[in-house]
């Protein structure tokens, strides 16, 4: 008890000390959202002497799209899962010496394709075709030459490369055709509903970090990064005094940022539960989806046209995860995943049966959501779980189906594609994300769409602070989608939190 209060006193003293030394005024800041960008901003501000901080989070926990959940004894991630790359990756740089990451295996490293008619596609050919696809993805310079959608660009370059390597080979072309829609889902539908909606421009503005693209968290999933940001790791006695500044279940409903020219004295933030907060500045970190859906009602006065243009124009997709837990590990040790390829005949037959997998309003012209699951994958963190992604147009719709229907659909796929090889027990539990229907996310993450190009919508515009009547940068924007080159990642989101904190630090220096 004594030690505890002694620590608190010390913290208070040092906070005061910093204020006196660094700041003429004690500015107050509200951060809307406690995802990684909000937490990053809060920690950077605290470390620079800003003590009047309030973090308002709508959910009942922090982390946002970093959401690690215990599932039958181990942790799994419903959102951000892998650290993508090392060089220039803030997350990697922070944790590389802390023994928190493992490289033990790569979920997507084995490309064995299972066909819907119960066979495996010639692996020598699919390995080459996949490699050709990968080369196109990695060729950022080539993409600069592309115009229009990545779909148009990819298909053109892919078949050119295939015929260059194999000549006119009917068998290879047949397999390439089977693989085409899988490649679309694997490479692009993680971003958008169709690769015809994604701009080739996005392919080269996105900056990937060199190094291992699939670093796994050893123990508790990606949420470990929150403890690293708050300095609970590696030494809990050095943690930043942030916990008591974070308020959960506080859904912000109004941000009044420019009351009036004559008597403007800061921003007022109202929450759905009737509570009100005032501050000199607010950093809005809510997702692009939340801004798309709620910006009109959220801001008083309304946002300027350039800002609305960026919110409406930047692309947003939904990708969801389905995690299936089995009573036993029924797959072989060397299995990394089961990639699913439909034969045309089976696809047509599936449409006739699609009513078995949910109400027809959930399918799209008879297209069944099962087609938008491109495979089942072994994950590092859980020995008896397989991970599937639902992508494309189906992703938001599957959120509305019952767990029973989802398990049933997944079991149907597993048995149809690999039942000839494995004895598969029924999955006993399912855990899935609902990023689209949750009003605190309204989608997964941003991309550069054809619409972004047409509207000249940019992350730079989304990031620009709003200046209030008193001439101050009052409303600041952070979050994954405001990162011009590292959108759609955790490390990119953290960069934006730091960027906005630095903006405020500079004002008061
Ligand atoms: C399925 C999926 C898989 C992914 N996989 C990876 C991966 O492997 N590696 C990787 O690097 N990245 C991955 N990402 C991306 C990464 O998770 C995100 O880019 C990042 O977590 C976004 O952080 P953020 O702080 O910008 O936004 P968020 O995490 O969305 O934080 C915003 C916070 O604001 C809160 N909020 C919303 N509305 C309100 C309101 N009205 N009032 C108060 N609070 C509100 C939200 O609840 C949320 O906590 C994945 C994302 C998804 C969805
Ligand atoms: C399955 O379909 C593929 C591609 O159409 C075909 O080559 C293969 O012979 C079929 N296999 C079986 C067992 O029907
Ligand atoms: C881009 O296109 C031009 C003209 O067709 C061509 O000369 C050049 O080699 C292409 N560059 C790349 C990187 O593909
Ligand atoms: C994708 O493009 C189609 C047509 O080009 C359009 O109707 C649709 O709204 C777009 N979808 C998204 C999510 O932008
Ligand atoms: C500011 O308040 C005055 C008087 O209440 C009002 O006339 C004026 O329209 C307000 N200005 C803005 C920008 O809201
Ligand atoms: C915000 O809350 C305050 C205090 O309850 C209230 O006076 C104000 O009208 C509210 N603002 C809006 C826009 O609802
Ligand atoms: C923090 O800032 C708010 C808004 O400016 C102010 O009302 C409050 O008194 C401040 N709190 C402290 C402890 O200074």
């Amino acid at each position: 008890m004594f030690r505890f209060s002694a620590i608190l006193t010390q913290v208070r003293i040092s906070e005061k000390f910093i204020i006196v030394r660094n700041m003429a005024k004690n500015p107050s800041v509200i951060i809307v959202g406690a995802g990684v960008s909000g937490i990053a901003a809060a920690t950077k501000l605290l470390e620079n002497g800003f003590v009047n901080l309030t973090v308002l989070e709508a959910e009942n926990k922090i982390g946002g799209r970093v959401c690690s959940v215990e599932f039958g004894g181990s942790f799994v991630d419903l959102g951000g899962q892998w650290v993508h790359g090392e060089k220039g990756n803030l997350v990697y740089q922070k944790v590389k010496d802390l023994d928190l990451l493992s490289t033990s295996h790569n979920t997507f490293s084995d490309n064995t394709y299972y066909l819907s008619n119960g066979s495996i596609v010639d692996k020598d050919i699919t390995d080459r075709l996949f490699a050709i696809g990968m080369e196109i993805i990695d060729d950022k310079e080539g993409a600069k030459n592309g115009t229009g959608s990545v779909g148009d660009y990819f298909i053109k370059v892919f078949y050119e490369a295939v015929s260059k390597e194999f000549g006119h080979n009917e068998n290879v072309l047949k397999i390439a055709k089977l693989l085409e829609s899988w490649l679309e889902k694997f490479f692009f539908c993680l971003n958008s509903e169709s690769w015809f909606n994604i701009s080739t421009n996005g392919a080269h503005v996105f900056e990937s970090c060199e190094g291992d693209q699939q670093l796994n968290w050893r123990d508790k999933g990606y949420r470990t990064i929150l403890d690293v940001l708050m300095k609970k790791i590696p030494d809990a006695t050095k943690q930043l005094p942030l916990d008591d500044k974070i308020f959960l279940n506080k859904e912000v409903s109004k941000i009044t940022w420019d009351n009036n020219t004559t008597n403007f004295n800061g921003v007022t933030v109202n929450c759905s539960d009737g509570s009100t907060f005032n501050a000199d500045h607010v950093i809005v970190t809510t997702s692009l989806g939340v801004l798309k859906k709620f910006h009109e009602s959220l801001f008083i006065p309304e946002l300027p046209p350039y800002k609305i243009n960026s919110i409406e124009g930047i692309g947003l997709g939904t990708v969801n995860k389905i995690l299936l837990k089995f009573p036993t590990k029924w797959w072989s040790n060397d299995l990394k995943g089961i990639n699913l390829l439909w034969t045309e005949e089976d696809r047509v037959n599936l449409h006739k049966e699609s009513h078995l997998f949910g109400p027809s309003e959930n399918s799209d012209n008879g297209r069944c959501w099962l087609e938008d699951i491109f495979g089942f994958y072994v994950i590092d963190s859980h020995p008896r779980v397989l991970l599937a992604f639902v992508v494309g147009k189906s992703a938001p719709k599957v959120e509305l189906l019952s767990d029973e229907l989802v398990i049933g659909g997944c079991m149907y796929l597993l048995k149809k594609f690999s039942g000839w090889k494995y004895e598969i027990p029924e999955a006993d539990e399912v855990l899935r994300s609902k990023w689209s229907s949750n009003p605190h996310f309204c989608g997964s993450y941003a991309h550069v769409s054809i619409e972004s190009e047409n509207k000249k919508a940019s992350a730079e515009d989304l990031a620009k602070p709003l200046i209030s009547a008193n001439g101050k940068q009052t409303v600041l924007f952070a979050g994954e989608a405001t990162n011009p080159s590292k959108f759609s990642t955790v490390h990119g989101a953290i960069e934006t939190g730091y960027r906005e904190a630095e903006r405020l630090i500079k004002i008061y220096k």
Side-chain angles (χ1 to χ4, degrees):
M1 187 60 212
F2 172 75
R3 273 190 51 200
F4 185 57
S5 55
I7 291 171
L8 283 185
T9 318
Q10 254 177 13
V11 169
R12 290 217 188 88
I13 291 170
S14 65
E15 281 178 359
K16 265 199 195 127
F17 177 71
I18 297 170
I19 304 157
V20 172
R21 199 183 46 178
N22 282 346
M23 271 181 258
K25 188 175 173 294
N26 176 8
S28 48
V29 182
I30 292 171
I31 296 171
V32 181
V36 288
S37 64
I39 295 294
T43 55
K44 173 84 50 181
L45 288 171
L46 265 180
E47 287 175 304
N48 285 275
F50 286 68
V51 290
N52 194 333
L53 284 186
T54 309
V55 184
L56 303 173
E57 167 54 54
E59 294 271 303
N60 62 6
K61 59 178 177 335
I62 67 169
R65 282 171 278 173
V66 166
C67 180
S68 315
V69 190
E70 202 176 340
F71 187 41
S74 300
F75 280 83
V76 293
D77 277 302
L78 286 173
Q81 176 170 351
W82 296 287
V83 179
H84 294 315
E86 301 165 22
K87 201 175 159 201
N89 183 323
L90 258 179
V91 172
Y92 181 77
Q93 295 306 325
K94 274 182 193 296
V95 304
K96 62 178 189 218
D97 301 324
L98 302 179
D99 196 29
L100 295 169
L101 297 176
S102 82
T103 54
S104 55
H105 81 243
N106 196 324
T107 300
F108 300 117
S109 62
D110 170 52
N111 295 302
T112 303
Y113 292 88
Y114 291 70
L115 262 173
S116 51
N117 66 5
S119 57
I120 284 181
V121 193
D122 184 335
K123 197 166 173 332
D124 290 335
I125 297 177
T126 51
D127 277 353
R128 266 315 298 156
L129 293 176
F130 182 80
I132 290 173
M134 208 61 210
E135 280 158 28
I136 299 172
I137 299 298
D138 286 341
D139 180 13
K140 303 226 151 139
E141 285 307 308
K144 275 186 190 162
N145 265 357
T147 51
S149 73
V150 285
D152 293 325
Y153 169 73
F154 188 93
I155 289 171
K156 178 172 168 283
V157 181
F158 180 67
Y159 285 104
E160 277 169 12
V162 169
S163 71
K164 196 168 159 200
E165 179 158 338
F166 294 96
H168 187 80
N169 180 324
E170 284 296 343
N171 185 38
V172 169
L173 277 176
K174 194 171 137 197
I175 295 173
K177 195 69 200 157
L178 288 172
L179 202 63
E180 185 189 305
S181 75
W182 187 91
L183 290 172
E184 171 181 11
K185 289 173 214 158
F186 179 75
F187 284 134
F188 299 109
C189 280
L190 289 172
N191 301 320
S192 178
E193 66 181 43
S194 152
W195 59 2
F196 298 113
N197 287 79
I198 306 177
S199 157
T200 38
N201 225 353
H204 64 83
V205 299
F206 183 81
E207 239 174 73
S208 41
C209 301
E210 265 173 49
D212 193 323
Q213 294 302 307
Q214 274 197 358
L215 292 158
N216 287 283
W217 294 87
R218 268 187 210 293
D219 197 12
K220 295 217 164 73
Y222 216 140
R223 67 147 294 133
T224 311
I225 194 60
L226 298 165
D227 290 339
V228 173
L229 290 170
M230 295 189 283
K231 301 214 155 51
K232 294 181 183 178
I233 293 176
D235 179 356
T237 66
K238 300 218 170 98
Q239 70 172 279
L240 296 166
L242 183 57
D243 286 345
D244 63 343
K245 300 184 193 310
I246 301 174
F247 298 85
L248 302 177
N249 301 307
K250 287 283 178 198
E251 183 190 69
V252 169
S253 53
K254 293 273 180 234
I255 299 173
T256 310
W257 57 282
D258 193 355
N259 317 30
N260 203 294
T261 311
T262 46
N263 57 2
F264 181 75
N265 51 11
V267 65
T268 304
V269 172
N270 292 48
C271 296
S272 304
D273 66 359
S275 54
T276 306
F277 299 84
N278 296 299
D280 299 313
H281 306 274
V282 61
I283 305 179
V284 179
T285 76
T286 55
S287 68
L288 177 65
V290 168
L291 292 175
K292 276 185 194 283
K293 191 148 183 201
F294 298 111
H295 76 84
E296 271 177 36
S297 60
L298 195 53
F299 294 93
I300 302 177
E302 68 179 24
L303 296 171
Y306 81 87
K307 183 72 76 185
I308 295 175
N309 184 60
S310 67
I311 290 170
E312 290 177 346
I314 298 174
L316 173 74
T318 295
V319 43
N320 275 312
K321 287 183 177 176
I322 297 175
L323 292 139
L324 289 174
K325 184 160 71 62
F326 292 90
T328 53
K329 172 177 170 288
W330 50 263
W331 50 89
S332 57
N333 281 332
D334 61 343
L335 184 103
K336 298 252 157 79
I338 296 171
N339 297 306
L340 312 177
L341 291 192
W342 288 93
T343 65
E344 205 39 50
E345 195 187 349
D346 285 338
R347 197 195 300 273
V348 170
N349 286 333
L350 176 71
H351 293 177
K352 293 183 198 144
E353 296 178 359
S354 68
H355 62 279
L356 297 174
F357 305 104
S360 56
E361 61 268 26
N362 282 317
S363 63
D364 181 48
N365 294 327
R367 184 184 166 84
C368 184
W369 61 272
L370 294 181
E371 285 179 64
D372 283 331
I373 291 182
F374 59 80
F376 292 88
Y377 301 92
V378 175
I379 56 172
D380 221 30
S381 66
H382 203 303
R384 284 182 291 118
V385 163
L386 290 182
L387 163 66
F389 290 95
V390 200
V391 300
K393 273 192 173 172
S394 302
K397 294 173 182 163
V398 174
E399 294 182 13
L400 309 174
L401 300 179
S402 69
D403 283 354
E404 288 69 33
L405 276 173
V406 171
I407 293 183
C410 291
M411 289 308 302
Y412 169 92
L413 284 177
L414 283 167
K415 286 181 176 155
K416 187 172 183 63
F417 286 76
S418 59
W420 57 273
K421 191 169 176 199
Y422 292 104
E423 182 98 39
I424 310 176
E426 288 295 308
D428 50 23
E429 226 180 314
V430 68
L431 187 68
R432 54 211 182 96
S433 62
K434 296 183 177 173
W435 295 115
S436 174
S437 54
N438 185 328
H440 304 141
F441 301 96
C442 307
S444 296
Y445 39 72
H447 64 270
V448 180
S449 66
I450 295 289
E451 179 125 337
S452 316
E453 299 281 282
N454 292 343
K455 291 193 146 184
K456 300 200 188 331
S458 69
E460 284 88 349
D461 276 351
L462 189 61
K464 236 178 242 169
L466 302 177
I467 299 181
S468 55
N470 61 357
K472 280 200 181 143
Q473 299 181 327
T474 296
V475 186
L476 290 74
F477 293 86
E480 160 268 314
T482 70
N483 195 317
S485 60
K486 292 181 186 140
F487 47 89
S488 77
T489 65
V490 174
H491 55 276
I494 292 173
E495 281 184 4
T496 67
Y498 285 166
R499 178 191 68 209
E500 295 312 309
E502 296 286 0
R503 204 189 292 279
L504 291 176
I505 292 162
K506 215 165 132 194
I507 296 176
Y508 290 95
K509 208 141 214 175

